[in-house]
Amino acid sequence: MKIYKRLCLVVAIGIAILLVVSLFRDSEDVYHRLAKTYVNTSEDTKSADEPVEAIEIPIDFAALQQENPDIYAWIRIPDTEIDYPILQSSTDNSYYLNHTVDHQEGYPGSIYTENLNAKDFSDPNTVIYGHKMRNTTMFGGLYQYQDQSYMQEHSEILIYTPDHIRIYKVFAAVTYDNRHIMYSFDFSDVEQYQAYLDSLKAVRNMATCWDESIDVTVEDRIITLSTCNGNDAQRFLVEAVLVDEK
């Protein structure tokens, strides 16, 4: 009888695991569908000598916002897994931590910002969050920026909004503490903005990588890609500075 009960328990656990894996795969599939349906990958920008008016946004934001009006931008790092919509809830800053773009609860969540940041990327620092997934989806692949050669080969980050293409250059990858960046620094104050930049520079460990050829100042606009570190006391950050806006 005991053996039978144990067997039933093992079978029940196995079924539960399969259900979780199936749900997780379905949640990931929604992002693949969005990218395939609403993103034109043939041409991201026009040639440099064409007028700004000729720039075409390769993302169908009107259709995406029919699926979820909280989608307001798209992030792409060429030749990586990162090719996702960016969402922001106006009422619950933690909602997309545990909800996918189609409102399914649980992993992998979404790539998102908090309403502490403007949606036009005009803030000195826009913090973008995503889970570290073991299969390198979402922000799981950011850890490869610990390698200097990888950083150089994947230094460009593209952010699309309905009327702009913004190009950022990665200048640092840092294992940081878990403080809430937007609450800890007032980036409208140049001294506090500088304090943040200094705090990044002050991190010296094996998981830190810095492109010393890029000079970032308080006059620049940056994005911070933030993901978990497997340690509740730490976050892994990839920092990039705006170098072009179309």
Side-chain angles (χ1 to χ4, degrees):
M1 192 66 170
K2 289 183 179 180
I3 294 175
Y4 176 75
K5 287 181 178 179
R6 288 178 182 175
L7 180 61
C8 289
L9 179 60
V10 169
V11 171
I13 291 173
I15 292 172
I17 291 173
L18 288 174
L19 288 173
V20 169
V21 170
S22 177
L23 179 61
F24 173 68
R25 285 177 178 169
D26 289 345
S27 296
E28 283 200 325
D29 284 345
V30 68
Y31 293 107
H32 298 149
R33 179 181 63 79
L34 291 180
K36 184 176 181 179
T37 305
Y38 301 122
V39 179
N40 176 13
T41 58
S42 60
E43 284 291 336
D44 288 344
T45 62
K46 300 292 183 180
S47 63
D49 58 350
E50 290 190 57
V52 173
E53 301 86 75
I55 295 298
E56 292 183 4
I57 307 299
I59 313 295
D60 188 347
F61 280 103
L64 281 170
Q65 289 169 351
Q66 288 293 316
E67 299 231 5
N68 187 331
D70 287 340
I71 298 171
Y72 75 96
W74 192 280
I75 182 170
R76 175 182 297 159
I77 304 181
D79 300 319
T80 76
E81 293 273 0
I82 297 177
D83 195 17
Y84 296 108
I86 302 176
L87 297 93
Q88 184 181 112
S89 169
S90 61
T91 59
D92 184 355
N93 277 330
S94 65
Y95 180 80
Y96 287 111
L97 173 68
N98 294 310
H99 288 84
T100 60
V101 68
D102 59 350
H103 304 290
Q104 293 294 317
E105 188 172 3
Y107 286 114
S110 299
I111 305 301
Y112 71 99
T113 61
E114 297 177 326
N115 58 28
L116 300 167
N117 276 129
K119 293 181 179 180
D120 61 1
F121 292 85
S122 60
D123 293 321
N125 185 11
T126 298
V127 182
I128 306 172
Y129 299 93
H131 279 299
K132 173 193 173 187
M133 305 306 296
R134 291 185 179 179
N135 62 358
T136 73
T137 58
M138 307 308 282
F139 276 178
L142 290 183
Y143 277 81
Q144 296 178 82
Y145 281 97
Q146 296 175 59
D147 179 76
Q148 190 77 41
S149 61
Y150 184 89
M151 178 182 288
Q152 292 172 353
E153 292 166 6
H154 302 85
S155 63
E156 186 178 84
I157 299 178
L158 303 173
I159 299 286
Y160 302 98
T161 53
D163 53 1
H164 284 86
I165 299 172
R166 294 173 178 86
I167 302 173
Y168 295 81
K169 185 89 167 178
V170 176
F171 66 89
V174 175
T175 299
Y176 204 65
D177 58 50
N178 68 348
R179 78 183 89 175
H180 190 290
I181 292 170
M182 295 303 296
Y183 286 139
S184 300
F185 299 92
D186 177 4
F187 287 94
S188 65
D189 183 317
V190 295
E191 291 186 358
Q192 291 200 36
Y193 187 0
Q194 185 61 55
Y196 177 69
L197 295 176
D198 292 343
S199 72
L200 295 173
K201 278 274 191 178
V203 177
R204 296 298 179 194
N205 54 46
M206 294 297 292
T208 296
C209 189
W210 200 281
D211 188 339
E212 299 289 352
S213 69
I214 302 176
D215 184 27
V216 180
T217 75
V218 294
E219 301 297 321
D220 291 308
R221 279 183 283 162
I222 65 173
I223 55 173
T224 297
L225 310 188
S226 175
T227 193
C228 49
N229 187 42
N231 181 338
D232 290 341
Q234 294 179 327
R235 303 285 295 176
F236 187 74
L237 310 179
V238 170
E239 303 286 339
V241 60
L242 182 68
V243 294
D244 195 14
E245 187 170 2
K246 302 178 185 292

